[in-house]
Amino acid sequence: MSSEGCLEQRLTGLVLASPWLMRGLRAARGLGLSDWCIGAGAVRSLVWDALHGFASEPSALSDIDLAYFDAENLSPDHEAALRRRLASADPDLPWEVTNQAAVHGWFADHFGYPVEPLPSLEAAVASWPEYATAVGVALNADDSLRIIAPFGLDDLFGMAVRHNPARASRETYRQRVAQKRYAERWPRVTVVLE
């Protein structure tokens, strides 16, 4: 088996053994979205907590990012309705819901520069700010997992934080590194600053 296949197996094992993430995946699957994943910080924290031996006391999550792709319904009201459904299904999880097909509509107001529309969920995951967090997981109808990792899983399991310049500016990346306090929260993490 390839090293990437081994890392996918490791990630699958961690996800399946995580009660909170499996609850979240089941709730998200229950929305009936055609293309979705839970990703970014939720997956990163799960893996880095496990690699640091924090499994019995996992890191507090600021949110659980449900990313989905629906170019037919770009309404923020639809995102809000999905968030309410998730909060109703599992109120203990801090849900954040984003239609990746609509990101270009608000990105400039939030980050200060415009971006082109994304063509797919995979392209969206590939645009997330760090390679280690550009990972998503979805629960298929047969309870198998779909892993979206356009840059692989080496940075995630290697505990390396590196800037993905696809959409995040250097300034945004540096702000995120300071805000997230990666090395403070997970001492074995290496942060690469440009």
Side-chain angles (χ1 to χ4, degrees), residues 126-189:
S127 75
W128 293 352
E130 298 97 22
Y131 295 120
T133 58
V135 178
V137 179
L139 186 64
N140 297 318
D142 66 357
D143 285 342
S144 65
L145 295 179
R146 173 185 175 211
I147 296 172
I148 302 170
F151 303 107
L153 299 171
D154 288 340
D155 277 8
L156 178 61
F157 280 93
M159 295 182 284
V161 179
R162 288 187 305 132
H163 176 215
N164 175 6
R167 288 214 166 174
S169 68
R170 279 195 178 105
E171 180 183 333
T172 298
Y173 170 70
R174 287 179 176 274
Q175 289 170 353
R176 280 181 54 84
V177 166
Q179 172 197 17
K180 301 287 185 182
R181 304 178 355 262
Y182 294 124
E184 181 183 326
R185 294 167 64 194
W186 296 283
R188 294 173 43 213
V189 163

Side-chain angles (χ1 to χ4, degrees), residues 85-98:
R85 285 178 58 194
L86 288 169
S88 176
D90 198 324
D92 294 332
L93 296 177
W95 293 104
E96 181 67 35
V97 178
T98 306

Side-chain angles (χ1 to χ4, degrees), residues 71-91:
E72 301 301 313
N73 188 347
L74 304 181
S75 165
D77 293 337
H78 186 244
E79 285 181 9
L82 292 171
R83 190 176 307 110
R84 285 191 300 274
R85 285 178 58 194
L86 288 169
S88 176
D90 198 324

Side-chain angles (χ1 to χ4, degrees), residues 35-134:
D35 204 9
W36 64 274
C37 68
I38 289 177
V43 174
R44 176 207 61 228
S45 294
L46 174 75
V47 171
W48 289 359
D49 281 354
L51 294 174
H52 279 78
F54 300 161
S56 59
E57 289 224 16
S59 299
L61 291 171
S62 59
D63 56 36
I64 294 182
D65 293 298
L66 171 69
Y68 71 100
F69 194 88
D70 182 356
E72 301 301 313
N73 188 347
L74 304 181
S75 165
D77 293 337
H78 186 244
E79 285 181 9
L82 292 171
R83 190 176 307 110
R84 285 191 300 274
R85 285 178 58 194
L86 288 169
S88 176
D90 198 324
D92 294 332
L93 296 177
W95 293 104
E96 181 67 35
V97 178
T98 306
N99 182 358
Q100 299 296 304
V103 168
H104 65 281
W106 53 260
F107 195 93
D109 289 340
H110 192 75
F111 292 105
Y113 54 94
V115 294
E116 293 295 315
L118 293 160
S120 67
L121 182 62
E122 289 78 9
V125 173
S127 75
W128 293 352
E130 298 97 22
Y131 295 120
T133 58

